[in-house]
Amino acid sequence: MTASPEVHIVVLAAGQGTRMKSAQPKVLHPIAGHPMLEHVLRAADSLNPATTTVVVGHKAELIAGALAARDDAECVLQSPQLGTAHALQQAEGRLAGRQGTVVLLSGDVPLLTSGTLRKLVQVHRHAGAAATVVTAVVDRPYGYGRVIRSRGRLARIVEERDASPAQRRVREINSGIYAFDAVPLFDALRGIAAGNAQGEHYLTDIISIYRRRALPVETLIVDDPGEVRGVNNRSELAEVSATMRQAKNEELMAAGVTLIDPSSTYVDTDVVIGPDTVIHPGVVIQGQTRIGSACEVQAYVRITDSELADRVTVLNFCVIVGAQVAEGASIGPFAHLRPATRLGKGAKVGNFVELKKTSLGAGSKASHLAYLGDATIGDNVNLGAGTITCNYDGQSKHQTVVEEGAFVGSGSQLIAPVHIGRGAYVAAGSSITKDVPADALGIARGRQENVEGWAERRKQTSPKP
Ligand code: UD1
Ligand code: CA
């Protein structure tokens, strides 16, 4: 038989995941910025599969929704869920008549590496096997199917509930990950009955069926049993997350990033950080964030879906979401950059400053206590302490424009829509409602009056206590 080089991926994700005690399907729980299922699919992508099928059942519509962005993965429905063999049978419609290797994955085993998957396909093809089972030798095999060997070769897999005390002592477990030759697979699945402790159609029974038919069965023992760790409850979710986080941190450090305390640094899988950037403890960097080189991110900062160029400083306790920050800018402490914020080269956003849909030009400063929303602020503008753009009238948002080189005095409100011209000044404490032309001074506040001797007179007329 000439083996077709095609690989077909099937991911089992129909189970309820009862022990998660969640309204959300288990495989959609996020780990390091992606649903668990996405990690599984990414590992599978490295095999360049001809088809990818996800077997869904419990909360199928939510999983299908999460997969909508992936045009390569198709969902098939398993309803009711009668066991792992029955789950794989649901893929028959998509795979009937195809040749090659079916790689079966579990949606709740997210640490499996692409390296192990490639090795699985290689071992499976090299042996010309009908089935190759990924196994692991673990200290605590409880709950897993046990690998029963006879004269060294895989004879069958026995589930925990169906195992004898002697079989329960076996420490080699079935990971639930397999490679199958597509040709005999679906016919064999039809031969699996539900005669076991759970009344389910166990995929693991296929091993004894193949042995009886004298079809070759292989195993691949993983070097690191941690890779085939399944997530069944929140505690395992936390453990698997920690493992994934640690791997990401190792990757960053190897690429020249300093992590002052990796154990308290939380960086999502897709984040990119340049060399000589220093990340302090308690920092969370999420989503599609890119950070340049020689930046400093101080403690207790969250950065989500943002781009920071080189030599940017983020001081303690900032939240930065959906922002673009140019080289040499400085942010914080206690600043909040909300979506569609852009900071120009060397711009400075100081403490207690919030920006939203606002661009602050190169060299411009909002150093203290400001709210800047829906604003376009040119280069080298100085916004004094307490500058507020009044962008919302209760119904719509309005734009504020401050041109290059303008100076806005402290405690001013810019009541939008309003335009401050190039090089103009706004006097401190102004409520600006009209445009200020270039090079003009806008002053809009009540005139001060000093009443001479007022305090002295008050003392004399007030009653004594
Ligand atoms: C299964 C294996 C066991 C192995 C373990 C590894 C069987 C009978 N047992 O046990 O040998 O050690 O995985 O983690 O295969 N699923 C469906 N439809 C179903 C049932 C399950 O899609 O009808 C999916 C689940 O969502 C899950 C996967 O299949 O992703 C495994 O099912 P689960 O019930 O967790 O099997 P285990 O008891 O863990
Ligand atoms: Ca499981």
Side-chain angles (χ1 to χ4, degrees):
M1 193 182 80
T2 52
S4 152
E6 276 191 358
V7 169
H8 303 279
I9 301 290
V10 178
V11 184
L12 301 191
Q16 195 180 344
T18 323
R19 282 169 286 168
M20 293 295 283
K21 306 217 165 106
S22 177
Q24 215 188 2
K26 175 163 75 176
V27 297
L28 293 189
H29 280 260
I31 297 179
H34 294 292
M36 219 185 286
L37 178 59
E38 174 66 17
H39 289 287
V40 174
L41 291 171
R42 283 185 179 205
D45 281 344
S46 69
L47 297 177
N48 278 321
T51 67
T52 300
T53 308
V54 181
V55 181
V56 295
H58 180 75
K59 304 235 161 134
E61 60 305 329
L62 293 181
I63 298 175
L67 290 174
R70 272 189 165 263
D71 44 16
D72 53 343
E74 287 272 331
C75 290
V76 296
L77 187 67
Q78 183 201 18
S79 177
Q81 289 107 47
L82 301 178
T84 44
H86 178 250
L88 178 54
Q89 268 180 304
Q90 311 312 307
E92 183 169 5
R94 257 173 70 74
L95 299 180
R98 303 202 71 143
Q99 299 200 334
T101 305
V102 175
V103 173
L104 184 69
L105 304 173
S106 215
D108 62 355
V109 181
L111 294 176
L112 190 74
T113 61
S114 48
T116 297
L117 281 180
R118 283 197 298 269
K119 201 163 159 193
L120 169 63
V121 172
Q122 208 179 12
V123 165
H124 176 75
R125 286 190 181 147
H126 187 75
T132 303
V133 185
V134 178
T135 73
V137 178
V138 299
D139 292 332
R140 286 173 295 157
Y142 179 80
Y144 287 98
R146 303 300 203 285
V147 171
I148 309 300
R149 290 178 182 268
S150 120
R151 274 177 266 113
R153 298 199 65 84
L154 175 60
R156 57 201 186 102
I157 294 169
V158 181
E159 293 305 299
E160 174 83 34
R161 296 174 201 231
D162 305 302
S164 68
Q167 289 171 328
R168 285 188 182 149
R169 283 195 291 274
V170 171
R171 286 170 49 232
E172 188 181 3
I173 57 116
N174 168 27
S175 71
I177 289 150
Y178 318 78
F180 293 108
D181 177 3
V183 177
L185 178 61
F186 292 101
D187 179 56
L189 287 178
R190 276 188 285 275
I192 293 179
N196 52 56
Q198 288 199 97
E200 286 188 0
H201 297 263
Y202 283 172
L203 176 58
T204 43
D205 287 350
I206 203 167
I207 303 304
S208 14
I209 293 178
Y210 279 1
R211 298 292 299 196
R212 271 196 309 264
R213 296 188 188 176
L215 289 170
V217 173
E218 268 302 320
T219 55
L220 170 67
I221 307 179
V222 286
D223 298 330
D224 173 12
E227 249 192 70
V228 295
R229 183 91 214 237
V231 175
N232 295 301
N233 54 43
R234 306 266 180 170
S235 160
E236 286 167 351
L237 178 70
E239 283 171 35
V240 163
S241 301
T243 306
M244 207 170 275
R245 192 160 70 232
Q246 204 181 338
K248 179 67 186 183
N249 286 345
E250 293 295 338
E251 173 199 311
L252 291 170
M253 291 187 285
V257 179
T258 293
L259 305 181
I260 304 282
D261 177 20
S263 70
S264 70
T265 305
Y266 302 76
V267 184
D268 282 356
T269 317
D270 290 353
V271 170
V272 178
I273 305 180
D276 287 325
T277 285
V278 178
I279 311 284
H280 292 251
V283 171
V284 179
I285 307 178
Q286 299 176 308
Q288 303 300 309
T289 295
R290 301 178 73 89
I291 297 179
S293 50
C295 293
E296 182 177 359
V297 182
Q298 293 190 350
Y300 305 107
V301 164
R302 174 160 74 90
I303 305 176
T304 305
D305 294 329
S306 295
E307 273 181 43
L308 276 57
D310 299 341
R311 286 178 291 286
V312 169
T313 306
V314 184
L315 302 176
N316 305 82
F317 301 105
C318 291
V319 175
I320 299 176
V321 180
Q324 280 194 16
V325 179
E327 205 181 317
S330 161
I331 303 159
F334 299 100
H336 188 185
L337 306 190
R338 293 168 52 200
T341 291
R342 281 164 173 271
L343 302 188
K345 260 192 189 177
K348 183 181 174 205
V349 169
N351 40 202
F352 307 107
V353 173
E354 173 184 351
L355 280 81
K356 184 219 72 170
K357 284 192 185 160
T358 287
S359 67
L360 186 63
S364 290
K365 292 178 184 162
S367 299
H368 338 263
L369 302 159
Y371 171 62
L372 306 169
D374 303 296
T376 306
I377 295 156
D379 296 347
N380 301 313
V381 167
N382 196 310
L383 300 169
T387 298
I388 290 173
T389 53
C390 306
N391 59 328
Y392 186 48
D393 60 12
Q395 275 167 337
S396 4
K397 302 283 168 70
H398 301 282
Q399 300 291 318
T400 298
V401 177
V402 181
E403 302 261 20
E404 183 175 347
F407 180 100
V408 177
S410 298
S412 295
Q413 299 101 56
L414 307 176
I415 301 176
V418 74
H419 190 124
I420 312 296
R422 200 182 164 98
Y425 279 71
V426 167
S430 291
S431 291
I432 297 293
T433 54
K434 290 186 295 202
D435 292 353
V436 180
D439 297 319
L441 167 69
I443 177 162
R445 61 188 180 214
R447 261 179 200 280
Q448 179 173 337
E449 202 183 302
N450 292 336
V451 182
E452 294 293 337
W454 184 89
E456 194 51 37
R457 283 200 298 283
R458 182 174 192 246
K459 257 185 239 159
Q460 278 157 23
T461 56
S462 347
K464 297 274 179 305

